[in-house]
Amino acid sequence: GQKLLEKSGGTVFAMGWRSALRVGGGRLRAQGRSLSIDASRLETRLRTELKAVPSASELVGMFGRIFSDHMLVCDWEKEEGWGPPRLEAFGNLELSPASMSLHYALQCFEGMKAYRTASGEISLFRPELNAARLNSSLRRLAMPTIDEASFVELLKALVRTESRWVPADDGCSAYLRPTVIATDPQLNVNVARQCKFFVVLCPVGPYFLDGFKPIQVFADEVNVRAWRGGSGNAKLGANYGPTIKPQQTAAQSFDAQQVLYCPDGRVTEVGAMNFFAVVGDQLWTPPLARGDILPGVTRRSILELAPDFGLEPLELDFTLDDLRRAHADGRLTEAFGAGTAAIVCPISVILHADPEAHIRLPTGAGPVATQLFNKISDIHYGRDPAYAHWNSYVG
């Protein structure tokens, strides 16, 4: 394969292109393998025939269903380390039916976007935070971590190659899904010895099909998404599958679009989003310290932006009853979810199994949610120079 990237700036990675290191027991590490992923060793195997790129109108309602021409792939083996990363045609993976990821959910992923600015440049939004969070998830699964600088450079290489798949329309973007799975063909519950890292890219349209409108959520005090000491602070596939049934029930029984998980009344997350409440001049969100909340990139950005809007950001434990009391005395004025897909998703009502316990908020999107949505969108598309450092340009 042809190398796409060259080493630059004197950067020295854990292992060179043709080095061989002596490892435990006197064993020689295989030629062409390295202790950490090295972006300078990227090999390209590009398609000769490219697919047609859909228009913005064709992306409506198709989130995560349309894929670009190529994907990024890199394999790891315990005894040999990481092989050279490859940029190759998008296609199916070949896995043993005994692969550990299929049986024991040994897999984790990230969700992030690339945006095209008005000048035509393409940027990733705070990708170093996704790199750090992916490694946190990998450590939780006792799987190999990824060099964070190489992670960002490899994503940029994929986006450069697939630049025509990054829409220019406002509200549109390219969604990237970096993923690591254990591929060992064995049925023992054990530490992974073989893994595959891959990244696919999807062009996506606006999240809100009918404008920036609030949703209804159901406060679920029975089902638990994550718990103290569990894995809710890692982005594992195992955290998401069990939420599908509660969401289906909430939709069928309460006409709710999302579930607000409140085990024992304690507020945690809303669907796959972090939850926020505007209470007086404070912005509440559940804390990370318990270990049951995902450290969202949008969550962190909102907490850092809150003072710009005269709000004091507070990470604290609070309950549904706390929200009801704040609502009763007029202090709770807005609630919303936040995440990569929606950015900010306003909430109009928090429904409850007891109709007397509903929390009804203004029917339209509130000023804080609207301002945050517009502010972060402006940053994404390069329209806010004050936060230009949050964008990592592809070049």
Side-chain angles (χ1 to χ4, degrees):
Q2 174 186 349
K3 290 177 68 179
L4 183 63
L5 301 178
E6 298 296 334
K7 291 182 180 177
S8 61
T11 302
V12 179
F13 293 91
M15 190 172 185
W17 171 228
R18 291 187 174 85
S19 299
L21 294 181
R22 186 170 297 276
V23 295
R27 181 185 176 108
L28 286 177
R29 186 170 295 279
Q31 194 173 41
R33 294 272 175 173
S34 67
L35 292 173
S36 63
I37 288 181
D38 185 344
S40 71
R41 300 170 56 210
L42 180 64
E43 301 175 354
T44 62
R45 306 169 185 176
L46 303 183
R47 293 170 56 120
T48 55
E49 295 184 9
L50 302 180
K51 299 181 287 187
V53 175
S55 65
S57 62
E58 292 174 313
L59 298 177
V60 175
M62 296 296 290
F63 185 94
R65 299 184 185 183
I66 299 173
F67 299 92
S68 69
D69 293 296
H70 300 95
M71 62 183 184
L72 184 71
V73 182
C74 191
D75 295 305
W76 175 88
E77 295 186 15
K78 181 175 177 59
E79 299 300 329
E80 298 181 357
W82 289 100
R86 310 184 305 276
L87 195 56
E88 60 189 37
F90 177 89
N92 295 336
L93 302 178
E94 183 175 335
L95 296 174
S96 164
S99 292
M100 294 174 69
S101 60
L102 302 179
H103 297 271
Y104 307 120
L106 280 174
Q107 65 102 277
C108 57
F109 65 96
E110 277 299 312
M112 52 198 301
K113 289 181 177 180
Y115 298 88
R116 189 181 295 275
T117 68
S119 64
E121 294 179 288
I122 299 174
S123 69
L124 299 172
F125 182 68
R126 311 190 79 172
E128 70 283 356
L129 300 183
N130 295 96
R133 188 174 64 181
L134 179 61
N135 275 341
S136 178
S137 299
L138 288 166
R139 292 186 190 99
R140 184 63 179 83
L141 297 175
M143 290 166 66
T145 56
I146 294 174
D147 179 81
E148 294 178 12
S150 286
F151 172 88
V152 174
E153 288 306 312
L154 288 170
L155 262 60
K156 288 182 177 181
L158 174 62
V159 173
R160 275 195 295 272
T161 301
E162 304 294 74
S163 60
R164 69 193 191 99
W165 289 88
V166 183
D169 305 80
D170 198 49
C172 297
S173 57
Y175 182 82
L176 289 91
R177 173 55 65 86
T179 306
V180 185
I181 62 174
T183 55
D184 302 47
Q186 55 127 339
L187 299 181
N188 292 329
V189 181
N190 212 330
V191 176
R193 299 179 66 86
Q194 297 175 9
C195 292
K196 185 180 291 288
F197 166 58
F198 62 92
V199 186
V200 295
L201 183 150
C202 313
V204 296
Y207 183 85
F208 297 98
L209 303 182
D210 301 315
F212 188 58
K213 296 180 180 179
I215 63 170
Q216 298 189 146
V217 303
F218 172 68
D220 190 334
E221 297 185 78
V222 176
N223 292 289
V224 181
R225 190 202 75 87
W227 51 91
R228 191 185 300 271
S231 59
N233 58 352
K235 202 166 179 65
L236 314 184
N239 293 341
Y240 291 79
T243 68
I244 294 173
K245 176 62 175 175
Q247 182 170 334
Q248 182 186 55
T249 300
Q252 293 173 348
S253 301
F254 298 94
D255 194 28
Q257 287 79 51
Q258 285 291 354
V259 174
L260 177 61
Y261 291 96
C262 302
D264 300 320
R266 189 183 70 249
V267 175
T268 60
E269 295 194 342
V270 55
M273 297 181 286
N274 295 119
F275 177 81
F276 289 87
V278 180
V279 182
D281 60 358
Q282 298 174 337
L283 184 63
W284 293 5
T285 196
L288 301 181
R290 299 189 310 236
D292 61 343
I293 300 297
L294 186 71
V297 175
T298 306
R299 174 189 183 276
R300 174 168 169 171
S301 301
I302 286 173
L303 291 174
E304 293 174 3
L305 290 169
D308 292 356
F309 301 100
L311 293 170
E312 178 188 5
L314 290 180
E315 300 180 69
L316 75 166
D317 287 293
F318 58 95
T319 65
L320 277 173
D321 285 340
D322 292 327
L323 292 179
R324 290 190 188 99
R325 283 189 289 269
H327 182 254
D329 62 23
R331 291 181 301 126
L332 174 63
T333 56
E334 294 184 50
F336 54 88
T340 297
I343 306 175
V344 173
C345 183
I347 295 170
S348 61
V349 58
I350 301 174
L351 300 165
H352 194 271
D354 176 4
E356 299 297 319
H358 295 340
I359 302 174
R360 297 193 179 278
L361 297 161
T363 55
V368 172
T370 301
Q371 290 170 351
L372 283 168
F373 178 83
N374 291 337
K375 178 75 169 180
I376 296 175
S377 294
D378 285 345
I379 296 170
H380 286 163
Y381 292 102
R383 299 189 290 256
D384 192 322
Y387 289 92
H389 58 285
W390 282 4
N391 292 328
S392 183
Y393 287 91
V394 169

